[in-house]
């Protein structure tokens, strides 16, 4: 039986992503460096970091140029954030993601959203992915997301 390959199987990609965190002097620049490296080194089309402000509103602080249309902010009562309170990481088909993001449509692929504790979350989209990512595929990203959370 053939196995499919995922970018998280490549140690050089994970190493480059690790180096992109704390490569700059400001947290927002670190967020930019991380999502830019993530999209540049993988088949992902889109990545973004969302951070919560003092009022509880989430703002997309950095996203790649291929960000899907839609607002760059959301409230703490948004269905996505409420779902992330129960599951710290979500891997969804485009159809399932539409239920959480009714204001923007992903035509195909898989969306991953990883909560950065109470700071916010990272989201990534792979339009060519035929099914959501598995936990085994996403597990190598956990230390990277933890490191990003620490610098933010």
């Amino acid at each position: 039986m053939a196995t499919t390959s995922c970018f998280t199987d490549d140690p050089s990609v994970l190493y480059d992503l690790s180096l992109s965190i704390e490569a700059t002097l400001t947290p927002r620049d670190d967020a930019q460096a991380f999502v830019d490296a993530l999209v540049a080194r993988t088949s992902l089309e889109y990545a973004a970091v969302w951070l919560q402000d003092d009022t509880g509103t989430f703002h997309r602080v950095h996203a790649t140029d291929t960000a899907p249309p839609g607002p760059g902010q959301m409230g703490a009562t948004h269905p996505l954030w409420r779902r992330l309170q129960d599951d710290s990481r979500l891997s969804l088909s485009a159809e399932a993601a539409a239920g959480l993001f009714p204001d923007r449509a992903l035509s195909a692929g898989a969306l991953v959203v990883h909560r950065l504790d109470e700071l916010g979350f990272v989201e990534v989209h792979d339009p060519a992915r035929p099914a959501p990512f598995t936990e085994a595929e996403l597990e190598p990203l956990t230390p990277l997301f933890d490191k990003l959370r620490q610098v933010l």
Side-chain angles (χ1 to χ4, degrees):
M1 180 172 156
T3 60
T4 58
S5 179
C6 180
F7 70 90
T8 60
D9 294 334
D10 185 345
S12 70
V13 171
L14 297 174
Y15 179 73
D16 285 351
L17 292 174
S18 179
L19 290 178
S20 72
I21 302 169
E22 294 186 295
T24 70
L25 298 176
T26 66
R28 289 191 183 220
D29 288 344
D30 279 333
Q32 177 179 346
F34 179 73
V35 298
D36 287 348
L38 189 58
V39 171
R41 289 292 319 264
T42 67
S43 62
L44 299 172
E45 176 183 80
Y46 163 71
V49 174
W50 293 73
L51 296 178
Q52 190 173 32
D53 67 16
D54 294 337
T55 68
T57 302
F58 292 91
H59 300 272
R60 189 169 36 207
V61 296
H62 183 70
T64 54
D65 293 336
T66 54
Q73 66 182 34
M74 67 177 73
T77 59
H78 192 279
L80 173 65
W81 184 246
R82 290 199 329 243
R83 177 102 181 260
L84 284 171
Q85 298 309 296
D86 296 326
D87 300 307
S88 64
R89 180 171 43 224
L90 304 171
S91 182
L92 307 164
S93 67
E95 297 80 24
L100 294 175
F101 287 110
D103 49 354
R104 66 177 182 181
L106 300 174
S107 59
L111 179 75
V112 173
V113 185
H114 184 93
R115 189 177 84 210
L116 303 171
D117 289 338
E118 297 305 312
L119 291 175
F121 56 91
V122 175
E123 67 171 324
V124 299
H125 177 238
D126 184 344
R129 180 117 180 140
F133 290 88
T134 66
E135 274 302 310
E137 290 172 318
L138 294 174
E139 190 57 36
L141 293 176
T142 299
L144 298 174
F145 289 141
D146 288 346
K147 184 177 177 183
L148 180 64
R149 178 189 49 76
Q150 289 172 2
V151 300
L152 295 174

